């Protein structure tokens, strides 16, 4: 169903608008919440080194490929894929890229609501209360409180989306991203100067081959999807808003640098502080998803200026969560606009209803709906597993096949070379998109599913 679009398609004003918006999509909870605990768990400096190498190869290739597909077709994922044929696997590739953000943004917004709650409590001077044992568990099991915070986060996201590409997404990204950088630098400096923190800095930044394992590579590959917004349909959608005189390669490099820098800053904010607080205790360092909501408040409570740092930290996390939530929602809205011929107002309202509906399941999944489990998981964990461990690797695999086997390297090069003399990193791109990206995607898929069902331990 590809009706004529009732409104002029949105566009970024230029390179800066695209880079900051794409960087905003990439810099989210995956960087500040997930990256530090994975780095702590899988070897510190050696994990960081593997991640950077993958960002310069796997990440670069997928960002370029998806951005080029979007700009080439001027369509969101479903239409972009359909432009290259009607085979079932091609259509499937378009739809899976389109559905992923629709499933991610509801539960992502629930976590965003948790961030709002913690920020509000720090502003009220209740940092000590947040550090108490059992606080986080009692909060997420309280259906009313979690639902209220979740809805507030959704409404902020939807208001920005409703304003459009330039007036909403680009304007907010231009404001939030510089603030996010400044806050991350300030908090990182504060963290690394705490007594005992230097050992954590060394653990995070200095590679130690003894800490390397195969799971270091698998975990770093999985983090690529979270950190760079690969295989979510976002980059195809944002690429469709990119002007032809914007260099895809330069923009990709800037997004990579921005994203990796924030991930490193997040590691410097969290790992040295936790290292100093715990004396380098491995169990505390590897606390996993609870690190940000349970361990970090305890760390701040034991620091001087803990309340002030708590406010700055959760403001930073809120901005990061919002920029990614905006990107996820925009990709979903663009699919409704392109495929159903709806206007932005109607598309935003419908996506908003879906967000509230699916998100409520996740919001109440640790409280009133805690008795409901599918595959042994609560709703939030289930949606996270389905999208990040199953659907995104499949989407990356199909996108790699589409670009290398159907679209062809020549057409991608032609799109990339608008306003450029040559495709500078073509050799890396060709090897990755033809061979390594599909293999990496399958490895992530198989490893994640095996881990989820207990066949292997990650």
């Amino acid at each position: 169903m590809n009706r004529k679009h009732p409104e002029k398609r949105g566009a970024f004003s230029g390179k800066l608008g695209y880079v900051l918006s794409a960087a905003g999509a990439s810099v989210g909870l995956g960087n500040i919440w997930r990256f530090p605990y994975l780095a702590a768990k899988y070897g510190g400096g050696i994990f960081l080194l593997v991640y950077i190498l993958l960002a310069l190869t796997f990440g670069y290739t997928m960002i370029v490929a998806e951005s080029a597909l979007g700009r080439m077709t001027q369509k969101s994922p479903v239409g972009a894929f359909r432009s290259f044929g009607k085979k079932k696997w091609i259509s499937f590739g378009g739809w899976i890229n389109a559905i992923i953000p629709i499933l991610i943004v509801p539960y992502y917004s629930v976590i965003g609501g948790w961030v709002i709650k913690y920020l509000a409590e720090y502003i009220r001077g209740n940092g000590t209360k947040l550090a108490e044992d059992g606080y986080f568990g009692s909060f997420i099991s309280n259906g009313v409180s979690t639902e209220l915070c979740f809805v507030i986060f959704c409404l902020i996201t939807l208001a920005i989306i409703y304003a459009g590409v330039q007036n909403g997404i680009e304007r907010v990204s231009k404001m939030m991203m510089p603030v996010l950088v400044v806050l991350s630098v300030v908090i990182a400096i504060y963290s690394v100067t705490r007594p005992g923190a230097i050992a954590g800095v060394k653990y995070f930044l200095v590679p130690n081959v003894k800490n390397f394992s195969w799971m270091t590579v698998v975990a770093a590959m999985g983090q690529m999807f979270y950190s760079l917004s690969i295989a979510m349909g976002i980059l195809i959608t944002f690429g469709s808003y990119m002007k032809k005189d914007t260099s895809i390669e330069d923009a990709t490099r800037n997004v990579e640098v921005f994203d990796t820098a924030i991930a490193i800053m997040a590691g410097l904010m969290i790992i040295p502080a936790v290292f100093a607080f715990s004396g380098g205790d491995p169990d505390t360092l590897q606390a996993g998803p609870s690190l940000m909501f349970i361990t970090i408040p305890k760390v701040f409570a034991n620091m001087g200026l803990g309340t002030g740092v708590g406010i700055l930290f959760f403001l930073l996390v809120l901005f990061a969560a919002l920029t990614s939530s905006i990107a996820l929602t925009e990709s979903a809205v663009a699919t409704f606009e392109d495929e159903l011929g709806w206007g932005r107002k109607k598309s935003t309202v419908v996506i908003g209803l879906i967000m509230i509906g699916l998100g409520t399941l996740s919001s109440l999944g640790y409280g009133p709906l805690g008795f409901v489990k599918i595959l042994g998981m609560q709703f939030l964990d289930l949606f996270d597993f389905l999208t990040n461990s199953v659907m995104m690797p499949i989407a990356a695999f199909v996108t790699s096949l589409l670009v290398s086997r159907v679209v062809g390297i020549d057409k991608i090069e032609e799109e990339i070379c608008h306003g450029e003399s040559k495709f500078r990193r073509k050799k890396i791109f060709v090897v990755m998109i033809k061979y390594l990206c599909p293999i990496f995607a399958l490895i992530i898929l198989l490893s994640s599913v095996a881990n989820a069902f207990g066949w292997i331990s990650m």
Side-chain angles (χ1 to χ4, degrees), residues 158-458:
L158 292 167
I160 295 166
I161 292 296
Y162 184 80
V165 176
Q166 284 190 30
N167 292 328
I169 302 166
E170 182 174 332
R171 181 176 292 178
V172 170
S173 297
K174 283 181 175 178
M175 182 274 289
M176 285 187 176
M177 294 310 291
V179 174
L180 193 150
V181 171
V182 172
L183 287 176
S184 66
V185 171
V186 169
I187 298 170
I189 291 173
Y190 179 81
S191 175
V192 301
T193 54
R194 296 306 88 199
I198 195 67
V201 175
K202 289 180 179 177
Y203 176 77
F204 178 55
L205 294 183
V206 180
N208 186 342
V209 179
K210 292 180 181 178
N211 294 332
F212 179 81
S213 71
W214 171 242
M215 293 316 301
T216 302
V217 179
V218 173
M221 283 195 290
Q223 178 63 22
M224 299 269 44
F225 290 102
Y226 290 86
S227 283
L228 294 174
S229 296
I230 293 167
M232 298 184 189
I234 293 172
L235 294 171
I236 296 175
T237 301
F238 278 17
S240 73
Y241 300 149
M242 187 194 295
K243 292 185 176 179
K244 290 288 186 180
D245 60 358
T246 298
S247 166
I248 290 178
E249 279 201 283
D250 287 347
T252 297
R253 184 186 65 246
N254 292 336
V255 169
E256 281 184 309
V257 169
F258 214 119
D259 175 83
T260 305
I262 294 296
I264 292 172
M265 284 297 172
L268 290 174
M269 282 188 281
I270 293 174
I271 292 176
V274 174
F275 215 93
F277 166 72
S278 67
D281 176 38
D283 291 335
T284 305
L285 278 171
Q286 298 174 17
S290 66
L291 190 66
M292 190 166 77
F293 293 105
I294 297 176
T295 309
I296 286 297
K298 292 181 184 295
V299 173
F300 290 164
N302 282 272
M303 284 182 169
L305 306 174
T307 297
V309 175
I311 292 171
L312 293 178
F313 177 77
F314 280 99
L315 181 64
L316 160 70
V317 178
L318 177 61
F319 277 15
L322 275 172
T323 54
S324 289
S325 175
I326 289 164
L328 287 162
T329 308
E330 175 60 27
S331 184
V333 166
T335 295
F336 278 39
E337 288 183 297
D338 290 349
E339 297 310 308
L340 300 177
W342 291 355
R344 177 163 289 266
K345 179 178 179 181
K346 183 176 180 180
S347 299
T348 303
V349 169
V350 172
I351 287 296
L353 293 174
I354 293 172
M355 283 172 66
I356 299 294
L358 292 180
T360 295
L361 295 176
S362 296
S363 176
L364 303 182
Y366 294 101
L369 296 179
F371 65 94
V372 181
K373 291 190 177 182
I374 302 172
L375 299 177
M377 305 178 203
Q378 276 121 344
F379 285 109
L380 190 150
D381 301 313
L382 176 67
F383 285 129
D384 180 61
F385 169 71
L386 289 176
T387 53
N388 291 307
S389 297
V390 179
M391 297 174 72
M392 285 161 59
I394 292 173
F397 180 79
V398 177
T399 301
S400 298
L401 292 185
L402 178 74
V403 171
S404 61
R405 305 289 192 269
V406 179
V407 180
I409 303 299
D410 291 343
K411 285 189 177 179
I412 294 293
E413 182 174 12
E414 183 181 335
E415 185 62 39
I416 288 170
C417 288
H418 272 286
E420 299 182 45
S421 57
K422 63 177 182 177
F423 187 177
R424 295 190 296 274
R425 294 166 71 182
K426 181 178 178 180
K427 290 182 179 178
I428 293 175
F429 181 88
V430 171
V431 172
M432 292 301 300
I433 203 71
K434 281 188 174 182
Y435 309 109
L436 296 182
C437 283
I439 292 171
F440 285 175
L442 287 177
I443 290 172
I444 296 166
L445 173 64
L446 296 174
S447 299
S448 299
V449 171
N451 178 62
F453 287 97
W455 299 331
I456 61 171
S457 176
M458 292 177 68

Side-chain angles (χ1 to χ4, degrees), residues 105-181:
V105 77
Y107 79 79
Y108 194 95
S109 299
V110 171
I111 303 172
W114 299 350
V115 175
I116 287 177
K117 171 68 173 178
Y118 271 61
L119 175 60
E121 292 297 337
Y122 271 111
I123 291 173
R124 293 171 61 193
N126 293 331
T128 304
K129 183 173 74 172
L130 297 177
E132 294 175 358
D133 291 335
Y135 177 84
F136 180 64
S138 63
F139 162 58
I140 63 173
S141 63
N142 182 329
V144 175
S145 183
T146 51
E147 184 72 6
L148 177 62
C149 294
F150 156 63
V151 170
I152 291 171
F153 186 89
C154 284
L155 292 177
I156 295 172
T157 300
L158 292 167
I160 295 166
I161 292 296
Y162 184 80
V165 176
Q166 284 190 30
N167 292 328
I169 302 166
E170 182 174 332
R171 181 176 292 178
V172 170
S173 297
K174 283 181 175 178
M175 182 274 289
M176 285 187 176
M177 294 310 291
V179 174
L180 193 150
V181 171

Side-chain angles (χ1 to χ4, degrees), residues 62-70 97 229-233 235-236 399:
M62 294 306 298
I63 293 173
V64 167
E66 293 184 37
S67 300
L69 285 176
N97 271 280
S229 296
I230 293 167
M232 298 184 189
L235 294 171
I236 296 175
T399 301

